[in-house]
Amino acid sequence: ALVSMRELLDHAAVNGYGIPAFNVNNLEQVQAVMSAADEVGAPVILQASAGARKYAGEPFIKHLIQAAIESYPHIPLVMHQDHGQNPGVCQGAINLGFSSVMMDGSLEGDGKTIASFEYNVDVTRKVVDMAHAVGVTVEGELGCLGSLETMKGDKEDGHGTDATMTREQMLTNPEQAAEFVKRTQLDALAIAIGTSHGAYKFSRQPTGDILAIDRVMEIHARLPNTHLVMHGSSSVPQAYLATINQYGGKMKETYGVPVAEIQKAIQYGVRKINIDTDIRLAMTAAVRQFLFENPDKFDARDWLKPAREAAKQLCKQRYLEFGCEGQA
Ligand code: G3H
Ligand code: 13P
Ligand code: NA
Ligand code: ZN
């Protein structure tokens, strides 16, 4: 059944686990997440970016998620707008039936310019007013996602800034976070702790100097009732890269966020963990391998099946690693 994100994250907070929020764009990804959740008894957050709504088309995104609810009525499910760039995008999502929206006011409406604190408070507060009036949960973002290796913001996926910043400019400031939550009254807060979107996060396995997991603790101490969200949380498994490159792909060496670091973040208070890239890598590796090994096949179902299965295994693994088993 469709539930608000507040309800799911409150349960996760009381019981000390984290919920992966998977980005979905099409039928096979929705099916992969749902069958993984069903097998382990996990609650589900399906999130659609503006790009997903555009790729699938609004009625398709809406009805794919409705179909997930219809097919798995016993699973509590949140339908979440990922990275709404302005209140209009969030309003559109609410009209479509989403039970949760993210107003990302860390960047201005162009998605490129670093926003002022006042701008961020203003747009986020607007969305909270309209969302809470109809029982919809709101996620906001404070700080600038980006790599502490390059000191650059994250522009990998076309909706960030590549401005060079200082460490303190990038990371979420705990005191400012407290003021932000007080003034906006949002439910969940995405924080910047050194992760970035996309496959190219780190040029080596990250250690404490380029991934500020400890900051979760400081922010959580000030905001015990606000659910913390980690974006850019793909782990970029090396096995996927190896398979992709073995079967004709050309991806550069790269590292993601180790699962052990995410587990630490969950202990420190993170409740929602955003994952998109790992599903992309899992599906691409499976398709490349399948088509290489079966060059005579041309039925799309033949290669979509292993892609869907690979996505499912990834989702199942993250549900287990984040403590979701049996929580639905
Ligand atoms: O935050 C970005 C998500 O990975 C969604 O990416 O905008 O390409 O759909 P997208
Ligand atoms: P990844 O690119 O690390 O999967 O992050 C996805 C994300 O944060 C979506 O909002
Ligand atoms: Na989000
Ligand atoms: Zn994100």
Side-chain angles (χ1 to χ4, degrees):
L2 187 69
V3 298
S4 75
M5 186 146 80
R6 187 36 112 166
E7 188 181 327
L8 280 199
L9 297 187
D10 281 350
H11 187 270
V14 168
N15 295 282
Y17 64 97
I19 307 178
F22 295 115
N23 284 81
V24 292
N25 303 268
N26 70 3
L27 171 68
E28 285 74 15
Q29 291 168 340
V30 171
Q31 291 176 327
V33 178
M34 296 311 295
S35 59
D38 195 33
E39 277 187 21
V40 300
V44 170
I45 301 172
L46 293 178
Q47 58 185 10
S49 66
R53 278 166 63 183
K54 197 169 163 203
Y55 171 81
E58 307 256 354
F60 278 107
I61 271 293
K62 172 180 173 173
H63 290 285
L64 278 172
I65 295 173
Q66 291 301 331
I69 295 167
E70 198 177 313
S71 305
Y72 297 90
H74 54 290
I75 299 182
L77 181 155
V78 172
M79 181 180 184
H80 174 76
Q81 168 73 53
D82 191 24
H83 291 285
Q85 275 189 4
N86 56 59
V89 170
C90 296
Q91 182 67 69
I94 293 170
N95 295 346
L96 266 180
F98 284 58
S99 59
S100 178
V101 293
M102 177 187 191
M103 174 63 235
D104 182 357
S106 67
L107 300 167
E108 287 181 13
D110 64 0
K112 291 176 174 57
T113 313
I114 296 170
S116 69
F117 182 74
E118 290 302 321
Y119 170 90
N120 197 352
V121 168
D122 187 50
V123 289
T124 306
R125 176 78 225 188
K126 269 198 187 96
V127 171
V128 168
D129 286 342
M130 69 192 191
H132 282 183
V134 291
V136 168
T137 306
V138 178
E139 172 183 338
E141 177 167 318
L142 184 66
C144 190
L145 253 68
S147 167
L148 295 172
E149 232 182 346
T150 59
M151 301 313 280
K152 275 181 183 295
D154 143 24
K155 223 186 110 182
E156 167 75 20
D157 51 6
H159 47 78
T161 174
D162 61 355
T164 301
M165 282 167 287
T166 66
R167 185 181 172 89
E168 282 314 309
Q169 279 174 322
M170 288 173 71
L171 298 178
T172 304
N173 176 287
E175 212 166 306
Q176 216 180 32
E179 191 191 338
F180 188 69
V181 170
K182 195 170 159 204
R183 289 177 61 188
T184 59
Q185 293 298 307
L186 50 66
D187 305 280
L189 181 67
I191 56 175
I193 53 173
T195 66
S196 57
H197 289 99
Y200 297 98
K201 301 183 195 302
F202 305 111
S203 68
R204 56 181 166 89
Q205 278 290 356
T207 45
D209 54 330
I210 53 171
L211 194 52
I213 295 289
D214 282 4
R215 193 161 286 230
V216 173
M217 228 185 319
E218 298 169 45
I219 300 170
H220 183 58
R222 292 199 176 238
L223 295 167
N225 300 319
T226 307
H227 298 303
L228 302 182
V229 183
M230 233 178 118
H231 283 244
S233 303
S234 278
S235 300
V236 189
Q238 295 299 305
Y240 294 155
L241 296 177
T243 302
I244 288 171
N245 288 337
Q246 182 181 346
Y247 296 105
K250 266 201 181 75
M251 289 193 67
K252 288 177 288 184
E253 184 179 3
T254 176
Y255 298 87
V257 183
V259 167
E261 295 300 311
I262 299 173
Q263 289 169 329
K264 227 189 278 176
I266 292 170
Q267 271 179 23
Y268 295 165
V270 162
R271 298 294 159 233
K272 173 173 179 275
I273 299 105
N274 282 16
I275 296 175
D276 185 351
T277 299
D278 280 353
I279 293 181
R280 298 179 181 195
L281 294 171
M283 295 180 85
T284 298
V287 171
R288 281 196 178 278
Q289 180 172 355
F290 180 86
L291 290 176
F292 184 90
E293 290 175 347
N294 301 276
D296 57 323
K297 299 282 192 193
F298 58 89
D299 182 336
R301 292 171 297 188
D302 287 339
W303 47 269
L304 282 167
K305 251 192 252 173
R308 182 175 63 184
E309 179 60 23
K312 173 184 171 176
Q313 292 310 324
L314 180 274
C315 295
K316 198 171 154 183
Q317 199 180 331
R318 293 292 179 268
Y319 279 131
L320 297 174
E321 290 162 339
F322 299 170
C324 290
E325 188 172 15
Q327 301 287 3

